[in-house]
């Protein structure tokens, strides 16, 4: 029996409902709607929280307490890991920068500093060489969408289970 059989529909076409939880009001409302649906139909869902490493402690506490306060499923925590990306970038810097005339002391210092911190947000900023801005957005894709896909959604799809992804987005979200 595959790991996602509990999500099978009566029509025998397997599917899994996955609710993205951020700790905000929109994703919490979505989680509560999925919980109401479970109570009516008996069909379960999974909740997933992507730890960016850059959330307020209140957010982390809220997500930790969500299942206990609602009776819903405990969110699965996922976290981006840039260890291999940073190793490739260190190798690139060590090989290419000297060819471009960068002083060896600067190359050595850059290679030394480009080490994973365990904080996905900070590691991503070091990889990109900058912080995100309104003109250069990269956090959602790299810190939330990709880790959720790799850790939870991809295994569901590879198991031959259809994926229904629930995401709370506020009605007045800007197009940008």
């Amino acid at each position: 029996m595959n790991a996602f059989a509990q999500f099978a529909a009566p029509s025998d076409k397997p599917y899994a409902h996955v609710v993205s939880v951020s700790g905000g009001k929109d994703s919490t409302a979505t989680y509560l709607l999925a919980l109401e649906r479970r109570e009516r139909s008996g069909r379960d869902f999974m909740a997933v929280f992507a730890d960016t490493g850059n959330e307020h402690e209140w957010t982390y506490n809220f997500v930790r307490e969500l299942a206990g306060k609602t009776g819903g499923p405990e969110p699965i925590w996922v976290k981006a890991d840039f260890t291999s990306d940073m190793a490739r970038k260190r190798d690139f810097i060590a090989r290419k920068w000297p060819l471009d005339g960068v002083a060896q002391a600067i190359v050595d210092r850059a290679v030394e500093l480009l080490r994973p911190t365990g904080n996905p947000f900070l590691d991503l900023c070091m990889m990109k060489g900058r912080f995100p801005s309104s003109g250069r957005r990269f956090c959602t894709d790299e810190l939330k969408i990709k880790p959720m896909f790799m850790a939870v959604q991809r295994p569901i799809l590879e198991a031959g289970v259809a994926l229904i992804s629930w995401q709370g987005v506020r009605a007045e979200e800007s197009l940008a």
Side-chain angles (χ1 to χ4, degrees), residues 25-142:
K25 64 186 180 306
D26 302 303
S27 71
T28 301
T30 304
Y31 178 93
L32 294 173
L33 285 171
L35 191 56
E36 285 179 10
R37 177 189 165 275
R38 182 182 81 174
E39 290 168 1
R40 283 193 316 271
S41 69
R43 293 192 180 124
D44 217 344
F45 67 95
M46 291 185 288
V48 182
F49 172 72
D51 181 359
T52 65
N54 196 38
E55 306 297 336
H56 193 283
E57 193 58 36
W58 291 351
T59 301
Y60 291 121
N61 290 335
F62 181 86
V63 173
R64 282 186 202 103
E65 296 171 1
L66 185 61
K69 296 213 183 243
T70 64
E74 191 73 40
I76 298 164
W77 286 51
V78 299
K79 194 176 200 179
D81 181 2
F82 298 101
T83 303
S84 60
D85 300 299
M86 292 176 115
R88 280 191 299 277
K89 188 164 185 174
R90 281 192 310 276
D91 180 61
F92 174 85
I93 290 168
R95 285 184 298 105
K96 298 292 185 181
W97 283 18
L99 300 176
D100 290 337
V102 177
Q104 191 61 47
I106 293 172
V107 171
D108 293 344
R109 183 72 173 142
V111 168
E112 175 189 333
L113 292 173
L114 190 60
R115 301 282 176 194
T117 66
N119 179 317
F121 177 78
L122 182 56
D123 291 351
L124 178 60
C125 291
M126 286 194 298
M127 280 294 302
K128 297 284 188 180
R130 64 187 329 267
F131 288 100
S133 66
S134 59
R136 302 278 295 166
R137 298 174 187 218
F138 47 78
C139 288
T140 299
D141 284 348
E142 298 290 334

